[in-house]
Amino acid sequence: MRILVSNDDGVHSPGLHTLARVAQRFGDVRVVAPDVEQSAMSHAITVRRPLHYTQTRIEGIEAYRVDGTPADCVALGAHHWDKVDLVLTGINLGLNIGHNIWHSGTVAAAKQASFLGIPAVAFSAPVDEAGAEPDFSALEPYVAEVIETFLATPRMPLLNANFPLEPKGLRWTRMSVRHYEGLVIPGEDPMGRRHYWFAERPRERVEPDTDRWAIEQGYGSLTPLRLDLTDGDRLAQVLDERPDPEA
Ligand code: MN
């Protein structure tokens, strides 16, 4: 089995190294990842300039660092390696639950695989606030268990996996949708220039059975995702009530 591993934290991220190491138990692994951090790039792609890559090695694994986005990396990796069977992304340094799924480059890299018809799993975990080098070795058995579960569920094209640092187990969940206040916090740099930080504050409580709920309960969260954003309920409703939008 050919497994392409990518992320949005960059090719030197310890989360990527943990994931690539576990992936080796399941097949041939190749890493194609951004040369610098590309967090919160979502599904951006590079269209106004060409992409370049440089070969390197990560933990003895064939790897390539790319001057592009996470989605670029998966597209380029799948182009250069025939018949990739599985794409794994992460382990992101930071959870990708709820609305963060929309912003995440790690999830977008997995989505890019899904667009190419390749099954994919995105992995994320919290990091210590202290800024120390994260150690995800305790998560390795859970990463392996998620890969096994995913491979045993062949009709699932795209999965978003999140872990607390010490999971009690794994739970199937849905995406938490909370609205948030987008806070723009003004400040001043050392040269006296105005600058702005974007921050957020949730407006609702955590709903049961969601990804956020599972993490708060100490479980790893597994959410099947889809590329079709259509709101099927609303579509059925308008087709019923107002089949011609112009009428
Ligand atoms: Mn990231």
Side-chain angles (χ1 to χ4, degrees):
M1 185 162 64
R2 290 185 163 185
I3 305 171
L4 181 65
V5 176
S6 192
N7 74 347
D8 76 0
D9 295 320
V11 73
H12 300 295
S13 168
L16 178 82
H17 303 179
T18 300
L19 181 57
R21 204 160 50 233
V22 176
Q24 279 189 300
R25 301 182 206 166
F26 295 88
D28 298 328
V29 175
R30 190 181 282 190
V31 172
V32 181
D35 54 359
V36 294
E37 184 176 351
Q38 297 277 335
S39 291
M41 289 296 278
S42 187
H43 211 128
I45 54 171
T46 301
V47 292
R48 298 280 181 217
R49 61 168 178 84
L51 293 164
H52 307 85
Y53 63 80
T54 308
Q55 189 165 1
T56 183
R57 288 193 90 72
I58 299 293
E59 309 228 342
I61 299 168
E62 183 179 343
Y64 299 85
R65 51 180 200 267
V66 180
D67 60 347
T69 65
D72 290 335
C73 291
V74 170
L76 198 60
H79 173 77
H80 276 295
W81 206 19
D82 272 350
K83 293 188 173 54
V84 171
D85 299 291
L86 176 66
V87 169
L88 305 175
T89 67
I91 302 170
N92 188 60
L93 307 185
L95 292 166
N96 278 311
I97 54 178
H99 67 270
N100 288 307
I101 292 170
W102 290 95
H103 305 302
S104 168
T106 300
V107 176
K111 278 191 345 234
Q112 180 64 37
S114 219
F115 277 126
L116 299 173
I118 305 166
V121 187
F123 294 88
S124 305
V127 283
D128 212 340
E129 295 298 324
E133 173 97 347
D135 179 6
F136 290 148
S137 52
L139 295 178
E140 288 187 14
Y142 292 96
V143 171
E145 195 178 334
V146 170
I147 297 171
E148 272 166 27
T149 301
F150 185 71
L151 293 174
T153 318
R155 287 182 312 282
M156 187 179 291
L158 183 59
L159 181 65
N160 187 37
N162 282 271
F163 305 110
L165 284 177
E166 290 175 25
K168 294 194 278 187
L170 300 171
R171 291 286 183 268
W172 293 109
T173 60
R174 61 199 165 80
M175 177 179 169
S176 155
V177 178
R178 291 195 300 182
H179 299 87
Y180 63 78
E181 319 274 357
L183 303 174
V184 178
I185 301 159
E188 206 172 78
D189 75 12
M191 276 69 74
R193 295 172 297 210
R194 294 293 276 172
H195 62 202
Y196 301 89
W197 286 98
F198 184 77
E200 64 206 31
R201 186 165 56 206
R203 294 209 306 240
E204 290 118 11
R205 297 168 72 101
V206 175
E207 294 172 302
D209 305 322
T210 60
D211 46 12
R212 197 178 300 280
W213 172 87
I215 294 294
E216 286 192 2
Q217 302 294 313
Y219 293 102
S221 163
L222 303 182
T223 309
L225 299 180
R226 58 193 287 178
L227 297 177
D228 183 354
L229 297 176
T230 311
D231 184 338
D233 293 345
R234 294 291 84 74
L235 180 61
Q237 186 187 358
V238 292
L239 284 173
D240 190 42
E241 293 170 2
R242 196 178 168 183
D244 179 358
E246 292 173 275

